[in-house]
Amino acid sequence: MSTITDRSVSRQGLRTLFGLDGTRFAESYDPDNRRTDAFADAFLLLPDGSDVRRTALPVENARAERFRLYGEMDLAALRREVDGPYREVCDELAAIPLFGYDDSDLALRHNQAWAEHLGREVWSSSWQHHYAAALLIHVYRRITPPEYQTPAHMRLVYAVATAVDWLTTLTILSDDWMDGALVRNGGPAWHVGHPRSFANDTLILAAQALNVLSSAVPEHHPFKQELHDRAVRQLKHCAHYFAYHAEQDLRRTRVPADGAAPSRVPVDHITLDSYRGIVFSRGTDWIHFIVDMSRMLACYGAEVTDGEALMDYLAGATTAACVIDDVLDDSTGEDIRNGEPTIQLCLAVHKAKGLLGPLADEDAADMLLTLRNRVGVDTDADAGAVRDMYARHGIDELALDYLEAVLDRLLQVRRAALEECGAPGDIPAFMLQWLAIDRDGVTERAEESVDLLSQERFRDLVARLARADEDRADAVRRSATST
């Protein structure tokens, strides 16, 4: 028998020997993306025989100049919905084709299997009981007539909520990795158990989220393209947020291991004005993204949410949440070690520069020396020195004063947003309450949040923010005025 080594086999014979005769190298390529189309056909057809693609959409909202409000905030029902029908849809969407063309045994056994595993296991690392999905579902129910909240309609809402949940989760996974956080929701942070696949995992989440928007949103939805484009824009915004953290890593490489060199945190550029920008990247932009996705699902045009009052309102709500997060994290010292621009750091720099009233020269020098040399240096001694400086100069109490002022102003901007576009007025209350809930019930952190907001100085402000009946009264008044 001829062998390859004696060169007696013809090239035709070699092709036949290796199974290359008469086949294409790119035989798995499917330019029509039939796998994705097949998945969409199966997903959009409900078990009862109804088809989401034949479901009437609330297109009358496209002509509205403001939101129409229905129902009220019901967190207990929403939690049941998230843990029930939403989770079932999210779990089903984990099986969406990853690449859309490769049907090989290898792709299905490994690439697709890992994508499905990631889509389901990410539940264990999700942020605060699927906050993003819950808010999207809540806003959709508030701004959509009950007749557009059938199982078929909600299946579409759950699909988009899954995409938003995955996009939000990839930022949480990245944030944990960049902060060096080892625990998330009581378990190991994702990067701890997946250091090798971590970068690919975040890419898969992004790709699958966009696959959901491409495949699970029916073609007849008037905002199908806008939903996809808004998600892509949010991914770009996400990259902007992590730029500060990446620069921090570069600075740390220039600091000796013993921490003897001055901190490389840009202390002189951190002020209360910069904190507002930080909060926008950290939270406001994401909440606006979720509200935008809810708006488009409910077929409202972009002109409904273009006003400045709505952004001011969302910025106030996210600022309150971020300040609460900073206050609760302060005792650990991790934010100080990481050089995070928290409200405490911003207030300290602001005060040291004399921007919160007259300050003795020696006090200003003490504060600036500590901030420039100790913040962002990863040692217990440096973190302790900063905490001691905060205590000497009343920074912790100033942070609570700032939170009180934010909540007080939030009541004003909430009213402006209601008058401008009819935005659901319970979004701040939703944020403050939902963020304190974990999958397994109230956590120690939730109890700390409740304790903080139950203080006499905050109790009335939070209660007034939670009064959803003001929304209903406004809706009735506007309806009467328009007729």
Side-chain angles (χ1 to χ4, degrees):
M1 180 178 179
S2 298
T3 65
I4 298 175
T5 55
D6 65 13
R7 313 301 299 170
S8 61
V9 180
S10 67
R11 288 177 178 172
Q12 173 65 41
L14 289 175
R15 292 202 306 269
T16 302
L17 178 66
F18 294 121
L20 299 174
D21 191 34
T23 64
R24 293 178 299 168
F25 285 106
E27 63 181 357
S28 63
Y29 177 63
D30 178 8
D32 297 323
N33 210 12
R34 286 187 289 265
R35 283 186 64 201
T36 303
D37 291 342
F39 182 90
D41 288 339
F43 179 80
L44 296 172
L45 186 65
L46 273 64
D48 63 4
S50 60
D51 193 327
V52 176
R53 289 163 294 195
R54 292 195 293 270
T55 301
L57 299 169
V59 291
E60 64 271 19
N61 288 338
R63 298 185 299 273
E65 297 180 358
R66 58 193 303 115
F67 290 122
R68 304 181 178 98
L69 300 178
Y70 307 87
E72 58 187 81
M73 184 170 67
D74 187 346
L75 291 184
L78 187 57
R79 290 181 193 121
R80 292 193 296 270
E81 186 173 9
V82 169
D83 280 333
Y86 166 70
R87 180 165 184 170
E88 293 175 3
V89 168
C90 186
D91 190 62
E92 184 178 346
L93 282 169
I96 191 169
L98 175 60
F99 301 115
Y101 59 81
D102 191 348
D103 285 310
S104 70
D105 184 64
L106 179 66
L108 293 176
R109 284 180 176 271
H110 297 280
N111 298 336
Q112 186 64 42
W114 180 253
E116 292 187 30
H117 168 76
L118 176 64
R120 295 187 174 99
E121 285 301 307
V122 75
W123 281 90
S124 62
S125 295
S126 263
W127 182 48
Q128 295 293 352
H129 195 27
H130 309 289
Y131 169 77
L135 179 58
L136 184 145
I137 295 168
H138 167 69
V139 174
Y140 178 84
R141 288 195 178 278
R142 289 299 316 278
I143 65 176
T144 310
E147 58 266 29
Y148 296 111
Q149 299 183 27
T150 66
H153 288 98
M154 295 312 297
R155 186 169 178 80
L156 175 57
V157 174
Y158 298 152
V160 175
T162 297
V164 170
D165 215 5
W166 285 346
L167 290 174
T168 306
T169 298
L170 77 86
T171 70
I172 302 304
L173 303 186
S174 299
D175 192 57
D176 284 345
W177 175 72
M178 299 194 81
D179 285 349
L182 301 180
V183 177
R184 167 66 59 177
N185 284 352
W190 186 264
H191 67 90
V192 174
H194 304 85
R196 183 181 178 87
S197 67
F198 177 77
N200 194 51
D201 293 345
T202 54
L203 287 172
I204 288 175
L205 284 174
Q208 293 297 68
L210 297 179
N211 278 342
V212 167
L213 296 175
S214 298
S215 302
V217 179
E219 293 297 332
H220 78 294
H221 196 288
F223 291 98
K224 178 182 175 71
Q225 185 62 50
E226 285 83 350
L227 286 163
H228 184 276
D229 292 347
R230 185 65 178 87
V232 171
R233 177 155 62 97
Q234 198 59 32
L235 282 171
K236 293 189 291 185
H237 290 192
C238 172
H240 174 84
Y241 170 69
F242 288 114
Y244 175 85
H245 298 75
E247 182 64 18
Q248 286 294 91
D249 285 347
L250 180 61
R251 292 190 187 100
R252 287 195 187 95
T253 64
R254 300 169 181 157
V255 177
D258 60 5
S263 164
R264 301 300 180 181
V265 174
V267 167
D268 293 327
H269 299 287
I270 295 176
T271 65
L272 284 178
D273 287 338
S274 65
Y275 188 71
R276 284 188 279 272
I278 292 163
V279 168
F280 184 86
S281 297
R282 182 177 166 190
T284 304
D285 193 35
W286 275 98
I287 301 304
H288 185 241
F289 166 57
I290 295 168
V291 171
D292 251 3
M293 298 296 274
S294 302
R295 167 185 64 80
M296 288 182 280
L297 273 171
C299 297
Y300 284 94
E303 62 275 3
V304 171
T305 61
D306 279 347
E308 294 181 1
L310 178 72
M311 290 303 296
D312 201 17
Y313 164 60
L314 297 179
T318 51
T319 299
C322 287
V323 171
I324 291 170
D325 187 63
D326 288 346
V327 170
L328 296 182
D329 282 348
D330 187 51
S331 60
T332 68
E334 286 301 312
D335 285 342
I336 297 173
R337 298 167 69 106
N338 289 330
E340 296 290 340
T342 60
I343 186 60
Q344 293 91 341
L345 178 57
C346 294
L347 284 168
V349 176
H350 214 68
K351 183 173 182 176
K353 293 179 178 179
L355 298 175
L356 293 178
L359 187 68
D361 290 343
E362 59 271 22
D363 289 336
D366 170 51
M367 297 181 72
L368 288 173
L369 183 66
T370 303
L371 292 168
R372 289 169 177 164
N373 290 276
R374 303 282 196 163
V375 175
V377 182
D378 194 8
T379 70
D380 292 337
D382 288 290
V386 176
R387 291 288 301 120
D388 292 342
M389 184 273 287
Y390 285 172
R392 286 197 304 274
H393 295 285
I395 301 302
D396 294 335
E397 188 63 25
L398 275 177
L400 296 181
D401 291 340
Y402 191 83
L403 176 58
E404 184 176 4
V406 166
L407 292 174
D408 183 59
R409 172 160 165 69
L410 183 52
L411 288 168
Q412 301 175 33
V413 299
R414 174 180 183 265
R415 173 60 55 187
L418 286 168
E419 293 174 353
E420 180 184 78
C421 65
D426 53 24
I427 289 178
F430 178 96
M431 291 179 63
L432 297 179
Q433 294 182 42
W434 189 274
L435 289 177
I437 301 300
D438 194 5
R439 287 202 59 197
D440 299 322
V442 178
T443 62
E444 180 180 351
R445 183 181 180 85
E447 293 173 352
E448 293 174 353
S449 300
V450 171
D451 290 342
L452 174 63
L453 294 175
S454 296
Q455 292 184 23
E456 185 175 354
R457 66 192 302 180
F458 304 128
R459 192 182 304 124
D460 177 63
L461 293 170
V462 174
R464 289 162 63 192
L465 285 171
R467 291 174 187 162
D469 54 333
E470 292 182 18
D471 296 348
R472 293 198 301 273
D474 279 346
V476 172
R477 176 181 57 78
R478 289 197 301 272
S479 178
T481 301
S482 63
T483 57

